[in-house]
Amino acid sequence: MKKLLSLITGGLIKDVGGVIDSLTTTEEERLEAKQKLQELLEKADQDAQSQITEHWKLDMQSDSFLSKNIRPLVLIYLTFIFTALSFFDGNIGGFQVAEEYIPIFQSLLITVYGAYFVGRTWEKSKKQ
């Protein structure tokens, strides 16, 4: 989530850090200001996560098929399209997955397996 937040802010944090550095005179003041800024960003991240969780809970309570299943359907669609494009990209005559796709597949597998198995383990331990 931190990567996503830094992507969304588009370097804003670095710019704010530069302003803090130019306005503060001691290293202690700079570190304190940066620490407070980090705490604010972490709180904003936690608030965003709780909003998403609440939204998902409301979706699951809905009677609409689409609101309950939009995320899995989009996931299936994007996975299918990405896999098809990566397998058929330039593979006329011989099959080879282009090197650009390999890190993406690795990241996807680690994320999915990690989320599933860690999530299942956490659910089971929480029930006990």
Side-chain angles (χ1 to χ4, degrees), residues 48-63:
Q49 289 292 333
S50 65
Q51 291 286 335
I52 291 170
T53 302
E54 188 61 32
H55 181 76
W56 287 355
K57 286 180 185 176
L58 292 174
D59 282 350
M60 292 310 292
Q61 292 173 357
S62 171
D63 291 334

Side-chain angles (χ1 to χ4, degrees), residues 82 85-91 95-105:
F82 176 76
L85 288 175
S86 65
F87 283 150
F88 296 115
D89 183 23
N91 281 320
F95 178 76
Q96 181 178 355
V97 176
E99 287 188 33
E100 302 87 53
Y101 296 111
I102 293 172
I104 299 170
F105 277 118

